[in-house]
């Protein structure tokens, strides 16, 4: 059986508790807020890593990434080698008026060319200025925080373990080979 007016009493208790607590007001923009380390603000472009593979633009659900490029022929590195062609980035732009900050572009980039920056103060009075070209995206890279340190107790990646095992075998083989070549030096020591 319910007590009459119990809901009203609970509501008034919550109101009184809230009224007696001191309010906390952030004095933004005079005082910058403390942001969590993985804050999604704006996307920065590390242009040197971009190979113009277009994965970010293809996977973007909002189609807000615009990429233009051209092919350039690179001369052979060694005599008798063949010329190679490579893509050269002409334009990389992100329209932040369309972007929904899902992070798919950053996740699919195989060359680590896109990063989250915690910067969030890039409002504009004209919506057309929310399309940031590659120079603006490069400026955001300076605000990208360093990645967190690796866990010292974590399991070593398989690739590194395999490479280390191969290097150890090679070093042991070279040591055995040197020991066979110089048996006199080992006896003298």
């Amino acid at each position: 059986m319910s007590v009459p007016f119990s809901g009203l009493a609970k509501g008034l208790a919550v109101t009184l508790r809230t009224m007696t607590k001191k309010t906390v007001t952030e004095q933004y923009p005079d005082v910058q807020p403390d942001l969590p380390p993985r804050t999604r603000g704006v996307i920065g472009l590390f242009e040197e890593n971009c190979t113009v593979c277009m994965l970010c633009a293809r996977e973007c659900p909002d189609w807000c990434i615009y990429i233009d490029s051209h092919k350039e022929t690179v001369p052979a590195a060694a005599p008798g080698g063949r010329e190679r062609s490579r893509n050269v980035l002409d334009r990389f732009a992100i329209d932040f008026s369309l972007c929904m900050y899902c992070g798919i572009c950053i996740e699919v980039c195989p060359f680590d060319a896109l990063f989250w920056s915690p910067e969030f103060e890039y409002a504009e009075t004209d919506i057309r200025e929310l399309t940031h070209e590659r120079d603006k995206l490069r400026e955001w890279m300076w605000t990208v925080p360093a990645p967190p340190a690796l866990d010292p107790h974590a399991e070593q990646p398989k690739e590194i373990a395999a490479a280390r095992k191969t290097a150890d075998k090679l070093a042991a083989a070279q040591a055995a080979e040197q020991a066979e070549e110089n048996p006199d030096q080992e006896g003298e020591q």
Side-chain angles (χ1 to χ4, degrees):
M1 180 167 179
S2 67
V3 178
F5 303 109
S6 65
L8 179 63
K10 286 180 185 177
L12 286 173
V14 170
T15 303
L16 286 172
R17 257 195 321 257
T18 307
M19 286 176 57
T20 58
K21 287 185 181 177
K22 185 179 181 201
T23 59
V24 179
T25 304
E26 296 286 333
Q27 297 298 323
Y28 179 80
D30 299 327
V31 177
Q32 291 295 317
D34 252 351
L35 298 173
R38 295 180 58 180
T39 300
R40 291 183 177 192
V42 71
I43 298 170
L45 170 69
F46 189 55
E47 198 175 325
E48 287 77 15
N49 286 358
C50 184
T51 60
V52 197
C53 66
M54 307 285 243
L55 272 175
C56 55
R58 273 187 263 147
E59 295 296 324
C60 180
D62 292 331
W63 293 86
C64 64
I65 299 175
Y66 310 109
I67 301 174
D68 292 330
S69 67
H70 69 275
K71 289 205 181 275
E72 216 173 65
T73 304
V74 178
R82 67 182 182 125
E83 293 181 337
R84 304 212 179 247
S85 67
R86 67 179 184 105
N87 287 328
V88 177
L89 186 65
D90 292 330
R91 178 180 187 223
F92 193 106
I94 299 177
D95 188 351
F96 286 105
S97 65
L98 296 176
C99 182
M100 65 179 181
Y101 304 93
C102 63
I104 293 174
C105 57
I106 294 170
E107 291 174 18
V108 300
C109 182
F111 302 103
D112 288 334
L114 297 173
F115 296 91
W116 280 118
S117 166
E119 290 294 317
F120 60 91
E121 299 176 316
Y122 55 94
E124 299 288 344
T125 55
D126 186 5
I127 196 168
R128 291 173 289 200
E129 293 178 18
L130 281 173
T131 300
H132 293 179
E133 296 293 332
R134 69 183 189 184
D135 355 335
K136 184 71 172 173
L137 295 173
R138 174 185 278 284
E139 287 177 25
W140 294 118
M141 275 304 296
W142 296 108
T143 62
V144 173
L150 297 176
D151 183 9
H153 304 293
E155 186 177 310
Q156 193 176 38
K158 292 180 273 186
E159 297 85 3
I160 293 176
R164 198 166 275 147
K165 187 177 179 181
T166 305
D168 290 343
K169 282 183 183 178
L170 183 62
Q174 287 177 346
E177 189 177 298
Q178 285 180 351
E180 287 177 11
E181 289 177 4
N182 303 323
D184 300 333
Q185 288 181 358
E186 278 188 25
E188 291 173 9
Q189 291 178 358

